[in-house]
Amino acid sequence: MNERVRQVVEFENHFSSFLKKQPVKVQNKIFKIIEAIETLERVPKNYLKALTGTDGLYEARIQLGSDIWRVFCFFDKGKLVVLLNGFTKKTQKTPKREIEKALGLMQKYYATKKK
């Protein structure tokens, strides 16, 4: 097992409920990507990509065959990666409502943290 360079956590339970609905093969692939995020100093763009115009929102990218999944996340204080919602990608562009949902969760995370 590689040494962890950052910690991946989940905010609320959006990620787990998304994960539970996926086939085992997809779950395993998602865990591999999360492990890469935790252990690689530089995570390849095909695994983790910043979403332009979102102020810190990233998408973890999962692909199996021709199927594509995305899990939104962001960095809190550099070493902590917070997982938000995930979805199955069916179109070229990431659906705006999924991005808005993730941004809303990110705001909620910081609001909750301040308390």
Side-chain angles (χ1 to χ4, degrees), residues 4 15 17 23 25 31 57 68 71 86 94 99 101-102 114:
R4 284 164 53 165
F15 171 72
S17 47
K25 273 184 173 171
F31 288 130
L57 191 62
I68 300 171
V71 175
T94 299
I99 295 174
K101 180 179 175 184
K114 277 190 188 124

Side-chain angles (χ1 to χ4, degrees), residues 38-64:
E38 283 184 327
T39 57
L40 299 175
E41 198 57 61
R42 296 183 63 131
V43 183
K45 268 206 169 59
N46 57 326
Y47 285 172
L48 189 66
K49 185 173 183 265
L51 283 173
T52 39
T54 58
D55 195 25
L57 191 62
Y58 284 76
E59 58 178 15
R61 313 171 82 164
I62 299 96
Q63 188 164 354
L64 207 60

Side-chain angles (χ1 to χ4, degrees), residues 3 10 32 46 52 63 76 81 98 105 114:
E3 201 169 309
E10 171 184 31
K32 276 197 173 73
N46 57 326
T52 39
Q63 188 164 354
D76 183 11
V81 177
E98 293 292 346
L105 289 170
K114 277 190 188 124

Side-chain angles (χ1 to χ4, degrees), residues 28-93:
N28 292 338
K29 182 86 183 211
I30 291 172
F31 288 130
K32 276 197 173 73
I33 302 278
I34 291 173
E35 186 183 3
I37 293 169
E38 283 184 327
T39 57
L40 299 175
E41 198 57 61
R42 296 183 63 131
V43 183
K45 268 206 169 59
N46 57 326
Y47 285 172
L48 189 66
K49 185 173 183 265
L51 283 173
T52 39
T54 58
D55 195 25
L57 191 62
Y58 284 76
E59 58 178 15
R61 313 171 82 164
I62 299 96
Q63 188 164 354
L64 207 60
S66 60
D67 297 321
I68 300 171
W69 294 265
R70 294 288 188 258
V71 175
F72 290 113
C73 57
F74 63 93
F75 290 85
D76 183 11
K77 297 208 175 26
K79 295 288 180 209
L80 184 68
V81 177
V82 183
L83 298 174
L84 303 167
N85 52 320
F87 67 99
T88 305
K89 194 166 178 192
K90 294 186 183 347
T91 56
Q92 203 55 45
K93 272 181 80 75

